Amino acid sequence: MTTGKIKYKMNIPFTKLYQQYLDCKSEIDSAITDTIKSSSFITGPDVTRFEKVMAQYVGAEDCASTGSGTMALLCSLRAAGIGAGDEVLTTPHTFVATTEAIVMTGADPVFVDIDPDTHLINLDLLETKITAKSRAVLFVDIYGQCPDMYRLKEICSRHNLVMIEDAAHSLGTQWCGQPIGSIADLTCFSFNPVKNLGAMGDAGCVTGSQEMMDRVRMYRDHGRTGRYDIVELGYNARIDNMQSNIVLAKLPKLAHWIDRKRAINSYYNAQLQGIVKTVKLDPRIGQGHYVYVIQTPRRDELKQYLEQHGIQTNIHYATTTHLQPAYRKWYTPCPVAELTVNEILSLPCYYSLTEEECKYICNTVRRFFQ
Ligand SMILES: *Cc1c(COP(=O)(O)O)cnc(C)c1O
């Protein structure tokens, strides 16, 4: 490819969901028609099968499906007994659902700032924020990384905190070779269409011990234990069988998609080294890769430049949750997170990007900084 003046312009969307359908078309089509034929749309054997497969996939004792990742978080916090008067340590650098779930239980989120190189919750600061009211840590595997899981587990057990993981970005990630979903007390996944493994609508799940998953199953189904026995205030947060069957139809492709994203990520790292700040990945992480993020004080200009050259980008996330009007009550300064959200930019990194497209993206970024 020539350098200097751009000779042609490509059009690269941020993601290409339709391609996923084309790559699993016959499996997805039969999942849909089979669901319609069985006419079992909510609960039943399909859901049990889904939960078995997902538990096995991440090496967990059990899995409880939910209607979304958000509901996975809320039902997990409830299952862990979190409620009014409790404090939950968390990160402000996340999608709003993480903070929302804590507040929905009646508990107070206590924000811990992030690490400037990984954008994950800063474990050194975490311990300084623990009080007599602290009951749980709800941390986020931002971009598909995870924090030092064994260190965090040790902190949680020393302070008697429930370790709850927002793994909406990290299905397929491993820590020291151990899959995410098998380490924390409760791990919450999302099958939102844009995530690593997407449904064609909303879906989510939680993994953990059978005892905890039974509690999640109770909360997701109106707090019921039997057909007519309502023992807790619950929700309608059940998975839609059409969605769980679609997710299972796509699951065999996930490892390949992640491999491809890993290769793209390495290529970007190599090409952009010394040009722009990239996220520092701990070598103990086998990353499932959700998004590829770069950081520059000239973020807004760069975003506009890339758009002018046909490259669609995104921001994960444009503001911290603790600066959102709805959550101002729980604001506490997190200077690193507050600076970071103004500088981050997510580049296209979907598995079906061609080599030529990756090259074009890197060359366009380089040209901006030249
Ligand atoms: C997507 C996402 C969620 C919410 O998942 P839904 O399935 O859309 O409800 C929660 N946390 C994070 C970090 C997410 O990215």
Coordinates of all heavy atoms in Angstrom, one line a residue, residues 76-120:
S76 N -27.9 -11.2 40.2 CA -26.7 -11.7 40.9 C -26.6 -10.9 42.3 O -26.3 -11.5 43.3 CB -25.5 -11.5 40.1 OG -25.5 -12.3 39.0
L77 N -26.7 -9.6 42.2 CA -26.6 -8.8 43.4 C -27.7 -9.2 44.4 O -27.4 -9.4 45.6 CB -26.7 -7.3 43.1 CG -25.5 -6.7 42.3 CD1 -25.9 -5.4 41.6 CD2 -24.4 -6.4 43.3
R78 N -28.9 -9.4 43.9 CA -30.0 -9.9 44.8 C -29.7 -11.2 45.4 O -29.9 -11.5 46.6 CB -31.3 -9.9 44.1 CG -31.9 -8.5 43.6 CD -32.3 -7.7 44.8 NE -33.3 -8.3 45.7 CZ -34.6 -8.4 45.5 NH1 -35.1 -8.0 44.4 NH2 -35.4 -9.0 46.4
A79 N -29.2 -12.1 44.5 CA -28.9 -13.5 45.0 C -27.8 -13.5 46.1 O -27.8 -14.3 47.0 CB -28.4 -14.4 43.8
A80 N -26.9 -12.5 46.0 CA -25.8 -12.4 47.0 C -26.3 -11.7 48.2 O -25.5 -11.4 49.2 CB -24.6 -11.6 46.4
G81 N -27.6 -11.3 48.2 CA -28.2 -10.7 49.4 C -27.9 -9.2 49.6 O -28.1 -8.6 50.7
I82 N -27.5 -8.5 48.5 CA -27.2 -7.1 48.5 C -28.5 -6.3 48.5 O -29.4 -6.6 47.7 CB -26.3 -6.7 47.3 CG1 -25.1 -7.6 47.1 CG2 -25.9 -5.2 47.4 CD1 -24.1 -7.6 48.3
G83 N -28.5 -5.3 49.4 CA -29.7 -4.4 49.4 C -29.4 -3.1 50.2 O -28.3 -2.8 50.3
A84 N -30.5 -2.5 50.6 CA -30.4 -1.1 51.2 C -29.4 -1.2 52.4 O -29.4 -2.2 53.2 CB -31.7 -0.7 51.7
G85 N -28.6 -0.2 52.5 CA -27.6 -0.1 53.6 C -26.3 -0.7 53.3 O -25.3 -0.5 54.0
D86 N -26.2 -1.5 52.2 CA -24.9 -2.1 51.8 C -24.2 -1.2 50.8 O -24.8 -0.4 50.1 CB -25.2 -3.4 51.1 CG -25.9 -4.4 52.0 OD1 -25.7 -4.4 53.2 OD2 -26.6 -5.3 51.5
E87 N -22.9 -1.4 50.8 CA -22.0 -0.7 49.9 C -21.4 -1.7 48.9 O -21.0 -2.8 49.3 CB -20.9 0.1 50.6 CG -21.4 1.3 51.3 CD -20.2 2.1 52.0 OE1 -19.1 1.6 52.0 OE2 -20.5 3.1 52.6
V88 N -21.4 -1.4 47.6 CA -20.8 -2.2 46.6 C -19.7 -1.4 45.9 O -19.9 -0.4 45.4 CB -21.9 -2.7 45.6 CG1 -21.2 -3.6 44.5 CG2 -23.0 -3.5 46.3
L89 N -18.5 -2.0 46.0 CA -17.3 -1.3 45.4 C -17.4 -1.6 43.9 O -17.6 -2.8 43.5 CB -16.0 -1.9 46.0 CG -15.9 -1.6 47.5 CD1 -15.4 -2.8 48.2 CD2 -15.0 -0.4 47.7
T90 N -17.1 -0.6 43.1 CA -17.3 -0.8 41.6 C -16.5 0.3 40.9 O -15.9 1.2 41.4 CB -18.8 -0.7 41.3 OG1 -19.0 -1.1 39.9 CG2 -19.4 0.7 41.4
T91 N -16.5 0.2 39.6 CA -15.8 1.1 38.7 C -16.7 2.0 38.0 O -17.8 1.6 37.6 CB -15.0 0.3 37.6 OG1 -14.5 1.2 36.6 CG2 -15.9 -0.7 36.9
P92 N -16.3 3.3 37.8 CA -17.2 4.2 37.1 C -17.0 4.1 35.6 O -17.7 4.7 34.8 CB -16.8 5.6 37.6 CG -15.3 5.4 37.9 CD -15.1 4.0 38.3
H93 N -16.0 3.4 35.1 CA -15.7 3.3 33.7 C -16.3 2.0 33.1 O -15.7 0.9 33.0 CB -14.2 3.2 33.5 CG -13.8 3.2 32.0 ND1 -14.4 4.0 31.1 CD2 -12.9 2.4 31.4 CE1 -13.8 3.7 29.9 NE2 -12.9 2.7 30.0
T94 N -17.6 2.2 32.8 CA -18.4 1.0 32.3 C -19.7 1.5 31.7 O -20.0 2.7 31.7 CB -18.8 0.1 33.6 OG1 -19.5 -1.0 33.1 CG2 -19.6 0.9 34.6
F95 N -20.4 0.5 31.1 CA -21.7 0.8 30.6 C -22.6 1.0 31.8 O -22.4 0.4 32.9 CB -22.2 -0.3 29.8 CG -23.6 -0.1 29.2 CD1 -23.9 0.9 28.3 CD2 -24.6 -1.0 29.6 CE1 -25.2 1.1 27.8 CE2 -25.9 -0.8 29.1 CZ -26.2 0.2 28.2
V96 N -23.6 1.9 31.7 CA -24.5 2.3 32.8 C -25.1 1.1 33.6 O -25.4 1.2 34.8 CB -25.5 3.3 32.4 CG1 -26.5 2.7 31.4 CG2 -26.3 3.9 33.6
A97 N -25.3 0.0 32.9 CA -26.0 -1.1 33.6 C -25.3 -1.6 34.9 O -26.0 -2.0 35.8 CB -26.1 -2.3 32.6
T98 N -24.0 -1.5 34.9 CA -23.3 -1.9 36.1 C -23.7 -1.1 37.3 O -24.1 -1.7 38.4 CB -21.8 -1.8 35.9 OG1 -21.4 -2.1 34.6 CG2 -21.0 -2.6 36.9
T99 N -23.7 0.2 37.2 CA -24.1 1.1 38.3 C -25.6 1.0 38.6 O -26.0 0.9 39.7 CB -23.7 2.5 37.9 OG1 -22.3 2.5 37.5 CG2 -23.9 3.5 39.1
E100 N -26.3 0.9 37.5 CA -27.8 0.9 37.6 C -28.2 -0.3 38.5 O -29.1 -0.2 39.3 CB -28.3 0.7 36.2 CG -29.8 0.6 36.0 CD -30.1 0.3 34.5 OE1 -29.8 1.2 33.7 OE2 -30.6 -0.8 34.2
A101 N -27.6 -1.5 38.2 CA -28.0 -2.7 38.9 C -27.7 -2.6 40.4 O -28.6 -3.0 41.2 CB -27.2 -3.9 38.4
I102 N -26.6 -1.9 40.8 CA -26.3 -1.7 42.2 C -27.4 -0.8 42.9 O -28.0 -1.2 43.9 CB -24.9 -1.1 42.4 CG1 -23.8 -2.0 41.9 CG2 -24.7 -0.7 43.9 CD1 -22.5 -1.3 41.8
V103 N -27.7 0.3 42.2 CA -28.7 1.2 42.7 C -30.1 0.6 42.8 O -30.8 0.9 43.8 CB -28.6 2.6 41.9 CG1 -29.8 3.5 42.3 CG2 -27.3 3.3 42.1
M104 N -30.4 -0.2 41.8 CA -31.7 -0.9 41.8 C -31.9 -1.8 43.0 O -33.1 -2.0 43.4 CB -31.9 -1.7 40.6 CG -32.2 -0.9 39.3 SD -33.7 0.0 39.3 CE -34.9 -1.3 39.2
T105 N -30.9 -2.3 43.6 CA -31.0 -3.2 44.8 C -31.3 -2.3 46.1 O -31.6 -2.9 47.1 CB -29.8 -4.0 45.1 OG1 -28.7 -3.2 45.5 CG2 -29.4 -4.9 43.9
G106 N -31.0 -1.0 46.0 CA -31.1 -0.2 47.2 C -29.8 0.1 47.8 O -29.6 0.9 48.7
A107 N -28.7 -0.6 47.3 CA -27.4 -0.4 47.9 C -26.7 0.8 47.3 O -27.2 1.4 46.3 CB -26.5 -1.7 47.6
D108 N -25.6 1.2 47.9 CA -24.9 2.4 47.4 C -23.6 2.0 46.7 O -22.8 1.2 47.2 CB -24.5 3.3 48.6 CG -25.7 3.9 49.3 OD1 -26.5 4.4 48.6 OD2 -25.7 3.7 50.6
P109 N -23.4 2.4 45.4 CA -22.2 2.2 44.7 C -21.0 3.0 45.3 O -21.2 4.2 45.6 CB -22.5 2.6 43.3 CG -23.6 3.5 43.3 CD -24.4 3.2 44.6
V110 N -19.9 2.4 45.5 CA -18.7 3.2 46.0 C -17.7 3.1 44.9 O -17.2 2.0 44.5 CB -18.2 2.6 47.3 CG1 -16.8 3.2 47.7 CG2 -19.2 2.7 48.4
F111 N -17.4 4.2 44.3 CA -16.6 4.2 43.0 C -15.1 4.2 43.4 O -14.6 4.9 44.2 CB -16.9 5.4 42.2 CG -18.3 5.3 41.6 CD1 -19.3 6.0 42.1 CD2 -18.6 4.4 40.5 CE1 -20.6 5.9 41.6 CE2 -19.9 4.3 40.0 CZ -20.9 5.0 40.6
V112 N -14.4 3.3 42.7 CA -13.0 3.1 42.8 C -12.4 3.5 41.5 O -12.9 3.0 40.4 CB -12.6 1.7 43.2 CG1 -11.1 1.5 43.3 CG2 -13.3 1.2 44.4
D113 N -11.3 4.3 41.5 CA -10.8 4.8 40.2 C -10.1 3.6 39.4 O -9.9 2.6 40.0 CB -9.8 5.9 40.4 CG -9.6 6.9 39.2 OD1 -10.2 6.6 38.2 OD2 -8.9 7.9 39.4
I114 N -9.8 3.9 38.1 CA -9.2 2.8 37.3 C -7.7 3.0 37.1 O -7.1 4.0 37.5 CB -9.9 2.9 35.9 CG1 -9.7 4.2 35.2 CG2 -11.4 2.6 36.0 CD1 -10.1 4.3 33.7
D115 N -7.1 1.9 36.6 CA -5.7 1.9 36.3 C -5.5 2.7 35.0 O -6.2 2.4 34.0 CB -5.2 0.5 36.2 CG -3.7 0.4 35.9 OD1 -3.3 0.6 34.7 OD2 -2.9 0.1 36.8
P116 N -4.5 3.6 34.9 CA -4.3 4.4 33.7 C -3.9 3.6 32.5 O -4.1 4.0 31.4 CB -3.3 5.5 34.1 CG -2.6 4.9 35.3 CD -3.6 4.0 36.0
D117 N -3.3 2.4 32.7 CA -2.8 1.6 31.6 C -3.7 0.6 31.1 O -3.7 0.2 29.9 CB -1.4 1.0 31.9 CG -0.3 2.0 32.2 OD1 -0.4 3.1 31.5 OD2 0.5 1.8 33.1
T118 N -4.6 0.0 32.0 CA -5.5 -1.0 31.6 C -6.9 -0.6 31.6 O -7.8 -1.3 31.0 CB -5.3 -2.2 32.6 OG1 -5.8 -1.8 33.9 CG2 -3.9 -2.7 32.7
H119 N -7.2 0.5 32.3 CA -8.6 1.0 32.5 C -9.5 0.1 33.3 O -10.7 0.3 33.3 CB -9.2 1.3 31.1 CG -8.4 2.2 30.2 ND1 -8.7 2.5 28.9 CD2 -7.3 2.9 30.5 CE1 -7.8 3.3 28.4 NE2 -6.9 3.6 29.4
L120 N -8.9 -0.9 33.9 CA -9.6 -1.8 34.9 C -9.6 -1.1 36.2 O -8.8 -0.3 36.5 CB -8.9 -3.1 35.0 CG -8.9 -4.0 33.7 CD1 -7.7 -5.0 33.8 CD2 -10.2 -4.8 33.7

